[in-house]
Amino acid sequence: MNPEVVKQLLLLFVLMAIGFIGTKIKLIDKVGSDKISALISRVTMPAMYLSTFMAQPFSTSSLKRIGTLFAISAGYYALATAIGFLYVKVTRADEKSRGVYQFMMIFSNAAYMGFPVLRAVLGEEAIFFAAFYNLPFNILAYSLGIWLLHRGRTDMAVNKKEMFLNPGTLSVVAGALMFLVSPLIMDTKVYDWIYRGVLWSGLDCLGDTTVPLSMLVIGCVLATVKLDAVLKNWRVWGVCAVRLLVLPLIVLGVLKLLPIDSLTLGIPVLVTAMPCAVFCVILAKEYGGDEKTGSIGVFLSTLLSAATIPLISALL
């Protein structure tokens, strides 16, 4: 197994363990955990999106590959969404949890685990293009994702405008626009001192807290879940099988038929092969979804990915 992948997995589990222990010794309570979740979804995650786009140097020669990856990403989300709806129907998932199962199946841990794995397997160049491949995730998680998690709730209202006009979606749009207009100021002091200076440094520093804070929250939720709930929830095991093996193998099989280079093929396959998105738990806590089932899915899929990621990487 790639040492970088092992290192990333161990880091995630250490952070989860700290949140787990902190909850058990009553250092962190539910109110604190909820506040951290809101901070992530409304502040640190948008900051991470903005800093990611600001760090990318504009290049017209890269636009063709970016367009291809964006099209592949759109096709993947259409496929994963269809499979997600089919899965909860076939397994007869209850109304409270079905949205979480669908969210976990559709959205992978693209940024937290995906980017380090891409760097280890495909090189630094892959991170640049993965940021654009991840665009639909950033938009859909805050719109389709919120709808899935909140669906069926009658005791908690969500402003429909917030599903599209929220810090996450707005930061993605703003980041993309900043990337496109950056050549206009590239040779100025504004670019050196502000755009790629204090502004980028501040956002990057703030965005870097997203991963540790998210894993702490998952550890907090796992502290309230019994072990037998993890072992007996067969639907979560099914989600993990589809998330970690079925979907990446489908994507690999389809892309092998297309006339694309190895980097353009490898990015979608590896991002798809990542475990369930940590963001599932964060949004579930904020919008009334089944956060416990989400935490079980993130924990279990992350654990199992230690075996499946090397397998998918080898197939490339």
Side-chain angles (χ1 to χ4, degrees):
M1 185 187 299
N2 192 300
E4 190 64 31
V5 175
V6 176
K7 180 180 178 181
Q8 193 65 23
L9 287 169
L10 290 176
L11 172 61
L12 296 179
F13 284 120
V14 167
L15 293 170
M16 277 193 279
I18 294 173
F20 184 93
I21 294 170
T23 302
K24 287 296 186 181
I25 64 175
K26 303 189 184 305
L27 181 64
I28 308 174
D29 59 11
K30 188 178 186 302
V31 175
S33 178
D34 290 345
K35 292 294 185 181
I36 295 173
S37 296
L39 180 69
I40 293 168
S41 66
R42 297 178 181 275
V43 180
T44 71
M45 182 73 78
M48 186 180 75
Y49 291 158
L50 280 170
S51 65
T52 299
F53 280 105
M54 292 173 69
Q56 312 304 325
F58 185 86
S59 171
T60 54
S61 62
S62 302
L63 292 179
K64 181 179 180 181
R65 178 178 279 157
I66 289 171
T68 301
L69 285 169
F70 191 82
I72 294 171
S73 183
Y76 159 76
Y77 281 106
L79 170 68
T81 301
I83 292 177
F85 274 91
L86 179 63
Y87 182 81
V88 295
K89 184 175 182 179
V90 171
T91 60
R92 298 181 181 179
D94 61 90
E95 191 170 5
K96 178 185 176 183
S97 301
R98 62 182 179 178
V100 170
Y101 293 130
Q102 289 170 289
F103 193 107
M104 291 190 295
M105 191 168 290
I106 296 169
F107 300 103
S108 73
N109 198 349
Y112 306 155
M113 276 193 66
F115 284 8
V117 171
L118 284 170
R119 182 182 290 111
V121 177
L122 299 175
E124 193 68 35
E125 184 185 17
I127 305 301
F128 172 82
F129 293 105
F132 292 94
Y133 178 79
N134 216 33
L135 259 176
F137 173 101
N138 301 334
I139 296 172
L140 291 173
Y142 273 100
S143 51
L144 173 64
I146 291 175
W147 178 77
L148 289 173
L149 295 172
H150 186 265
R151 187 180 44 167
R153 292 294 299 265
T154 57
D155 59 331
M156 182 179 180
V158 173
N159 188 331
K160 291 184 178 179
K161 287 185 179 180
E162 190 177 355
M163 293 175 61
F164 300 96
L165 300 177
N166 55 68
T169 303
L170 292 176
S171 65
V172 172
V173 175
L177 291 174
M178 291 169 73
F179 168 77
L180 292 173
V181 301
S182 62
L184 300 178
I185 60 170
M186 192 168 290
D187 296 323
T188 66
K189 290 183 178 180
V190 172
Y191 183 85
D192 294 331
W193 292 2
I194 299 178
Y195 185 87
R196 286 287 284 144
V198 292
L199 180 59
W200 176 80
S201 297
L203 290 171
D204 186 55
C205 184
L206 189 59
D208 282 345
T209 66
T210 301
V211 175
L213 288 176
S214 298
M215 301 315 293
L216 284 176
V217 170
I218 291 175
C220 293
V221 178
L222 283 173
T224 66
V225 177
K226 295 181 179 179
L227 180 61
D228 62 346
V230 178
L231 300 176
K232 293 180 180 179
N233 193 329
W234 59 270
R235 291 187 181 88
V236 169
W237 286 86
V239 168
C240 290
V242 176
R243 163 84 272 138
L244 298 173
L245 290 174
V246 176
L247 279 172
L249 288 175
I250 291 176
V251 172
L252 176 61
V254 172
L255 295 186
K256 282 282 191 181
L257 302 175
L258 303 179
I260 55 177
D261 60 85
S262 59
L263 184 63
T264 306
L265 181 146
I267 291 172
V269 173
L270 286 176
V271 169
T272 305
M274 292 302 109
C276 303
V278 173
F279 207 32
C280 175
V281 181
I282 306 304
L283 286 182
K285 287 178 71 66
E286 189 167 358
Y287 292 98
D290 186 356
E291 62 191 66
K292 290 189 177 181
T293 298
S295 293
I296 292 172
V298 171
F299 170 78
L300 187 60
S301 63
T302 302
L303 183 64
L304 295 174
S305 69
T308 58
I309 290 175
L311 174 63
I312 299 299
S313 300
L315 293 176
L316 290 175

